[in-house]
Structure formats: structure tokens, C-alpha cells
Amino acid sequence: MQQTFIPGIIPPAVQSEPSLWFAFVGNKLLIHSEGTVGHIPRFVSLAEIGLKPLRSQFLGTFDGIGCYSAELPKDSIIHDGLKLMGLRELYGSLDEELYALCGRAVQIVEWDRTHQYCGYCATPTIQLAHERAKRCPKCELVNYPRLSPAMIVLVSRGEEVLLARAPRFPPGMYSVLAGFVEPGESLEETVVREVREEVGIEVKDIRYFGSQPWPFPNSLMIGFTATYASGDIVIEPQELVEAAWFSKYNLPQIPPKPSIARKLLDWFVST
């Protein structure tokens, strides 16, 4: 049976049942260390293992179990049987829904940490009780968790797909193109601009594919497909180290499941 996350803001009046605690030291998540797959700890309170969060937020329920995010002090002493891991390290080893919840938690932890004071007048902010927002009691400025929209696009030319390598990629890995949306720009305009800027070609037939939250650090990836229109590949060296057309029947190393980049490529290969 598929597990379901139901978002929430108001925690239970009495916390008596063990909850899932998405606790972070910096950007590293506290998990059980047994076995090859990390598991999110379940406690009534982190005080059970001697930890006192700097801040915490109720996230909602996952399969009926309460969920909390927590920011831990950098000098926290980690209990035996637990360890800290980055979300990139955990990518692919957790259930897709649970991994998405880890991503939600780390973004809320970061928002909670960085919005203790008003960005306009520096007054300490107030957490709103019925909304995921912080309000300044002096100038009334309201801040919500930050979200940065970005497009990701699979560009095809017949049975070929355009793939590229960024400097940060693991050796040998290629992926489809992606880029952040600029102010005043539609998603379709972002697709055209980013492809033109990064590889120098023009595209057409832009179609929506799907979306995926991406917590590195706070993106929403909006996926598209497009077809080649004109131009030759000329890479932007500050963004890419290589780009080329690949046959759908002979792809290089590509991103792992369950990334939206991989979903785009799996769809293209299957069509």
C-alpha cells in the first residue's frame, strides 16, 4: 500500500506517540546507522537520545505518523546506532515519498533558521499559528518558505537526445539541460533561453512533462520535452564541459532513479 503524507502546521496538543524526526546538523540528516539503507528515527521527543533542537516545526503526518523537522546544534553528540548523512548520499536509498519528505524538512529547517529576524527592519519575527509563515510585528512583512522554480528539458532530434555534462557531475555522467527561471519570464521562455545560452541551439514543440521538488537547496523542477529546431552545439564553458547528441539506444551514464531527469530519459527511450 502506498504511504501518504498529509501536510500540517498545528502539532498535536499532546505529543504521546513516537513521531518521525527529520533532524539536521547543518544539511546532514540524522538516521539510523544499521544496515545499508538509512531509516528516519522515531521518538516521542529527541530528548530521549539527549538532543535538544534549536528549533523544530511540525510537518504533518506520514502514513498516520506525526512528522517533525528539527535543527540541531553543530556540537550535538550523536547517540550510538545513529549517524549523520547528506541528502545527496541518501538519494536512491530511501522510498521516493520518504525522500521527498526529507527534502521538505531540510527546506523548512533552513527557512526557520534564516527568518528569525525581519529582512526589512531586523525586528524578531513571529511564527504564525495557522500558516507556514513568519510575520514581522513592526512592519508587517510576511515571509514564507522560499521556493526557486527551475525548468529541466529533454531536447530530442529524431531518435537522438541532447545530453550535457556540468563540472560538478560525477565522471562520465550526462544529463538533460536545466536552469532557473528569471523574474518576468514564463517557463517556456526559460526553456528557450537556457537551451540557447548553454548549447547554442533553438528548440520548438515545448510540452510540459511533470514536476519534482528538489531540495538542493530549494528548487521546484518543472520538466519539459522539446524538439530540435536549428543550430549547432556551442557550449557555454562556465556552465558545461561537454554536450552532444546520443542515440536513445546507446546512452552514456545518466542520473539515477527517481530523479525527474531519469524519468524524462526513461520516457524517451520507451517511446
Side-chain angles (χ1 to χ4, degrees):
M1 179 181 295
Q2 187 177 19
Q3 294 174 306
T4 302
F5 173 68
I6 301 175
I9 296 172
I10 304 173
V14 178
Q15 176 67 26
S16 58
E17 297 295 326
S19 297
L20 291 167
W21 282 89
F22 297 84
F24 291 85
V25 175
N27 60 1
K28 292 187 178 293
L29 176 66
L30 183 71
I31 63 167
H32 286 296
S33 58
E34 295 89 347
T36 58
V37 177
H39 297 284
I40 309 303
R42 288 178 61 177
F43 302 106
V44 173
S45 167
L46 289 175
E48 295 176 35
I49 51 172
L51 295 175
K52 184 179 181 180
L54 297 172
R55 285 167 280 275
S56 65
Q57 293 268 339
F58 180 68
L59 303 177
T61 59
F62 183 68
D63 203 27
I65 303 168
C67 300
Y68 290 83
S69 66
E71 179 190 354
L72 298 175
K74 293 188 181 299
D75 59 354
S76 295
I77 298 174
I78 305 305
H79 192 274
D80 288 344
L82 297 168
K83 64 179 179 179
L84 296 167
M85 288 186 68
L87 292 190
R88 288 190 184 274
E89 299 173 80
L90 287 168
Y91 189 61
S93 66
L94 290 176
D95 171 84
E96 187 170 350
E97 284 192 68
L98 190 59
Y99 187 82
L101 187 47
C102 293
R104 178 189 292 258
V106 72
Q107 291 176 77
I108 290 177
V109 164
E110 182 66 7
W111 164 77
D112 198 9
R113 183 183 71 83
T114 57
H115 288 79
Q116 297 294 303
Y117 297 89
C118 176
Y120 181 73
C121 68
T123 302
T125 56
I126 297 172
Q127 173 82 47
L128 299 185
H130 300 282
E131 190 175 15
R132 187 84 66 197
K134 292 178 183 285
R135 179 176 58 83
C136 175
K138 183 177 179 181
C139 71
E140 302 295 324
L141 179 68
V142 177
N143 280 288
Y144 299 89
R146 179 183 172 185
L147 193 63
S148 301
M151 75 81 203
I152 183 167
V153 60
L154 182 147
V155 180
S156 62
R157 186 177 67 177
E159 293 190 333
E160 293 180 313
V161 61
L162 179 64
L163 298 177
R165 280 184 42 74
R168 67 183 183 279
F169 283 7
M173 194 184 83
Y174 289 74
S175 187
V176 295
L177 300 179
F180 286 102
V181 181
E182 293 187 353
E185 193 174 53
S186 72
L187 292 167
E188 292 81 3
E189 288 170 337
T190 304
V191 171
V192 172
R193 175 185 55 78
E194 282 287 344
V195 174
R196 181 187 296 140
E197 288 179 354
E198 293 194 359
V199 294
I201 70 170
E202 301 298 325
V203 295
K204 60 182 180 180
D205 303 328
I206 298 168
R207 292 183 171 87
Y208 175 75
F209 178 85
S211 64
Q212 181 180 53
W214 194 243
F216 302 110
N218 46 30
S219 303
L220 174 64
M221 303 297 294
I222 301 111
F224 293 89
T225 62
T227 55
Y228 169 82
S230 64
D232 298 319
I233 295 175
V234 180
I235 66 169
E236 167 50 63
Q238 292 185 342
E239 297 286 341
L240 303 174
V241 294
E242 189 178 355
W245 295 101
F246 291 86
S247 167
K248 66 191 294 184
Y249 304 109
N250 187 28
L251 294 178
Q253 181 184 348
I254 56 177
K257 298 179 179 180
S259 68
I260 192 169
R262 179 58 176 269
K263 290 177 180 178
L264 279 159
L265 287 163
D266 286 348
W267 167 83
F268 180 67
V269 169
S270 67
T271 55

